[in-house]
């Protein structure tokens, strides 16, 4: 909130921003809405308000990291499920092959069918592995993009703050 003299009163509104990006948006809004210094590109901001938002960002970051860990765990579980399905397919193919080999009249057919099942199973296994790896890669890429955005926003905020600190310390 802003008082009658244009200064922020240290509150960030009635609710706290949601998540790290919400906190960073609130930080940007606080800086953009701050009262400008005459004849300067510097602005007056409420230190307590900005420090509160920085603290909220610090609190939100572990939540974002936990979410990333959950995504990785989900991807690992998907890969494990795909591997288990592939292993079951291989086991069924071998069982089928063994059953067919037991019949003397169908030995040649059984070997051919076993080879075909094994080839199909290996192709399915490889496809499932590729799909699981692709899923993991996409989720990690999304998270990398999010972290890159957060990093650039934090660096830009720090650069602005450093510029203001340098301007206020100069005689």
């Amino acid at each position: 909130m802003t008082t009658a003299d244009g200064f922020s009163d240290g509150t960030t509104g009635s609710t706290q921003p949601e998540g790290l990006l919400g906190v960073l948006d609130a930080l940007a809004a606080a800086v953009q809405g701050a009262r400008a210094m005459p004849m300067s590109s510097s602005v007056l901001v409420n230190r307590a308000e900005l420090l509160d938002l920085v603290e909220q960002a610090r609190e939100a970051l572990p939540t974002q990291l936990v979410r990333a860990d959950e995504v990785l765990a989900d991807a690992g579980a998907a890969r494990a499920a795909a591997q288990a399905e592939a292993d079951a397919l291989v086991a069924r193919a071998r069982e089928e092959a063994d059953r067919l080999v037991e019949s003397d009249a169908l030995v040649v057919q059984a070997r051919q069918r076993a080879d075909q099942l094994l080839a199909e199973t290996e192709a399915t296994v490889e496809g499932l592995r590729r799909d699981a790896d692709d899923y993991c890669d996409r989720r990690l890429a999304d998270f990398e993009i999010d972290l890159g955005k957060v990093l650039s926003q934090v660096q830009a905020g720090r650069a602005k703050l450093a510029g203001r600190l340098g301007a206020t310390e100069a005689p």
Side-chain angles (χ1 to χ4, degrees):
M1 270 189 191
T2 305
T3 60
D5 61 359
F7 288 96
S8 177
D9 68 0
T11 63
T12 57
S14 60
T15 61
Q16 290 187 344
E18 292 278 331
L20 187 57
L21 290 177
V23 173
L24 291 173
D25 288 343
L27 268 170
V31 171
Q32 288 173 346
R35 191 169 111 191
M37 296 289 295
M39 308 288 285
S40 170
S41 64
S42 297
V43 293
L44 293 176
V45 293
N46 183 304
R47 182 182 304 184
E49 178 182 359
L50 290 183
L51 288 175
D52 179 52
L53 288 170
V54 168
E55 185 58 33
Q56 290 178 36
R58 283 188 179 132
E59 291 171 1
L61 188 57
T63 303
Q64 298 294 321
L65 293 176
V66 166
R67 204 170 101 219
D69 286 342
E70 289 170 354
V71 167
L72 289 174
D74 289 346
R79 184 174 182 164
Q83 183 64 48
E85 185 178 340
D87 291 343
L89 283 170
V90 169
R92 283 199 310 265
R94 286 191 176 127
E95 289 171 7
E96 178 72 9
D98 290 343
R99 187 184 63 76
L100 292 173
V101 168
E102 290 175 7
S103 171
D104 290 343
L106 301 174
V107 169
V108 172
Q109 277 184 329
R111 287 191 177 141
Q112 290 173 347
R113 179 70 177 138
D115 291 342
Q116 178 187 5
L117 286 173
L118 190 56
E120 290 172 2
T121 300
E122 288 172 352
T124 301
V125 165
E126 185 58 33
L128 290 171
R129 282 185 186 144
R130 266 194 320 271
D131 290 347
D133 287 347
D134 185 51
Y135 173 79
C136 291
D137 186 55
R138 284 193 318 266
R139 299 307 298 166
L140 287 171
D142 290 344
F143 187 65
E144 180 180 27
I145 289 168
D146 289 343
L147 284 179
K149 287 177 185 177
V150 169
L151 178 61
S152 64
Q153 289 175 350
V154 168
Q155 288 172 339
R158 290 190 70 210
K160 280 186 178 182
L161 287 174
R164 280 201 308 260
L165 287 173
T168 58
E169 291 176 1

